[in-house]
């Protein structure tokens, strides 16, 4: 089990009511399941539209249960941004 930090941006930050919180999980899927349990409601809806960076690498279309988390790593939760 790895521990690290989840960072929320924009609408995800507003819905989570925090800028960051710790994770303790093996995969991105496990970390996001824990987030949904801690923050039911709006954040769960926002996460459906988000993209993710794990240790500065885009997750893209990879299955979240295939994305391994590392000790001391970071998960960035990025909702769609307006503008260009």
């Amino acid at each position: 089990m790895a521990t690290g930090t989840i960072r929320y941006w924009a609408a995800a930050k507003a819905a989570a009511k925090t800028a960051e919180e710790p994770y303790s999980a093996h995969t991105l899927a496990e970390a996001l399941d824990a987030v949904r349990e801690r923050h039911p409601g709006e954040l769960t809806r926002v996460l459906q539209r988000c993209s993710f960076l794990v240790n500065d690498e885009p997750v893209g279309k990879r299955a979240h249960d295939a994305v391994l988390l590392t000790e001391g790593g970071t998960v960035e939760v990025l909702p769609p941004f307006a503008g260009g």
Side-chain angles (χ1 to χ4, degrees), residues 16-79:
K17 296 180 176 65
T18 187
E20 61 182 50
E21 63 185 344
Y23 70 72
S24 180
H26 293 290
T27 66
L28 178 58
E30 289 176 7
L32 293 176
D33 285 346
V35 164
R36 289 181 192 99
E37 287 179 24
R38 283 191 303 273
H39 306 281
E42 183 60 23
L43 183 57
T44 296
R45 289 186 288 280
V46 170
L47 288 175
Q48 294 172 355
R49 301 184 313 268
C50 289
S51 58
F52 304 93
L53 298 177
V54 174
N55 300 330
D56 298 322
E57 295 292 325
V59 170
K61 296 184 186 272
R62 288 184 287 160
H64 294 170
D65 60 353
V67 179
L68 299 179
L69 300 181
T70 59
E71 185 65 30
T74 58
V75 174
E76 308 280 348
V77 180
L78 307 169

